[in-house]
Amino acid sequence: MMLEGLTTQDMIAVGKSVVMNTYGRLPMAIAKGEGSWVWDVEGKRYLDFVTGLAVNSLGYKHPAIVKAVQQQAEEILHTSNLYWIPNQVALAKRLTEHSFASKVFFCNSGAEANEAAIKLARKHAKKHYGEHKFEIISLKNSFHGRTLATLTATGQTKYQDGYAPLPAGFSYVALNDSEGLKAKVNENTAAILIEPIQGEGGVYPVSEAFMQTARELCDTYGALLIFDEVQVGMGRTGKLFAYEWSGVMPDVMTLAKALGGGVPIGAMLATEEVAQAFQPGDHASTFGGNPLATAVGCAVLDVMLEEGFFEDVQNRAEYFKQGLERLAAKYQTGEPIRGRGFILGWPLPKLGPEIVEFCREKGLLINCIGGKTLRFLPPINVKQEEIDQALGLLDDVFSQHWK
Ligand SMILES: Cc1ncc(COP(=O)(O)O)c(C=O)c1O
């Protein structure tokens, strides 16, 4: 559009000269999308099972989202939080009516939502218990974002290398290690931070027993249980929020990605009692909850809250999972398919990145985490025949290349 006339290769060459080198990008650019499909700038069509990393959960060009963006652009895009923002109030109302939470703070990304949660937990701990209580416990192999505090909460040293000194007061336990968690939590613990399913870490679900232990420890020691639902919230697992699958409710939850249907937004939700730790001036974001982002957030929720929506998501997700399980058995790839709803991981002992590339050549976008787990994040409203197409393409790729 702005670089008309350039080939993809020429555009990439310009990109390399002017855009900071922070991403290992595939050699393609996406120009447009509709439903579960995207087209690259050269006109090739792909079935998209990445969806902008779990952002475009209702697919591309969803009429409700298009309408909300168009209408809001005609009215007002931004006003600031010096004034009340009606769409922000409406979105907070929808989110609180459908979750454990009573109050919402809006920001612009997942990292910011987690940053806000960490700050709220520390304020809450100091207010009620004193200066000693500031420690945050998170899980090894987790991912919580790239700001200094959130990459410190992220239990993977590869994201932390080069950024020392990191903020103090963070420690980690292994996934589902209830005994390790019991040994770590004490009166200095301000919060336990958990992704209900580790997304970037390779699609590893947290067990019900571990969640339960975390809840009990938080209750005993006056710590907050924070669920990072940035990736798994907003319908990804087949319920509006992933915690709804368990009997465990958090005190704080973070959202981003799919909440804005492609428009940047983040949110940090808390119970009434916890939210009171923030007073005017304690935290803020210029763009947070602006009229555009929250108009789209409302539109996204209205679609997801329609009668029967999640039942349908769950049925199609189960159909897809069974299809992947059949392929994993057919090609004897070893470990079982992990995940829930439409966040599924297929662990492979070899060839992960190569399979992604072979799929891309055939017109299916998927990604591979850590070089060894294929991750599938299709739109949650993907059609059954599109699931069949994806399974067929995977079957083709494995029959040609899996030895
Ligand atoms: C669980 C989780 N938390 C936080 C983040 C960070 O979100 P963002 O990239 O919007 O800052 C991500 C991003 O992948 C995530 O998956």
Side-chain angles (χ1 to χ4, degrees), residues 53 108-112 114 143-146 195 197 199-200 228-232 254 256-257 375:
L53 291 168
N108 313 286
S109 67
E112 279 179 80
N114 286 328
F143 186 81
H144 298 294
R146 303 290 198 136
E195 292 161 87
I197 298 175
E200 297 309 295
D228 175 346
E229 295 221 12
V230 165
Q231 186 159 154
V232 296
T254 54
K257 292 196 186 267
R375 179 175 47 174

Side-chain angles (χ1 to χ4, degrees), residues 146-203:
R146 303 290 198 136
T147 63
L148 268 182
T150 58
L151 74 82
T152 308
T154 291
Q156 302 190 58
T157 50
K158 69 177 180 192
Y159 295 114
Q160 300 166 348
D161 289 345
Y163 298 115
L166 299 176
F170 290 82
S171 63
Y172 319 92
V173 296
L175 176 74
N176 295 334
D177 177 6
S178 296
E179 292 311 309
L181 188 63
K182 283 182 198 159
K184 195 135 259 175
V185 178
N186 58 37
E187 59 285 350
N188 299 331
T189 307
I192 301 174
L193 172 57
I194 296 174
E195 292 161 87
I197 298 175
Q198 292 187 333
E200 297 309 295
V203 192

Side-chain angles (χ1 to χ4, degrees), residues 16 38 46 97 133 145 180 190 206 297 299 305 312 317 362 401-402:
K16 284 188 172 168
V38 292
Y46 304 84
E97 276 169 5
K133 194 174 180 72
V206 171
L305 292 170
D312 189 31
K362 287 197 179 293
H401 301 284
W402 193 257

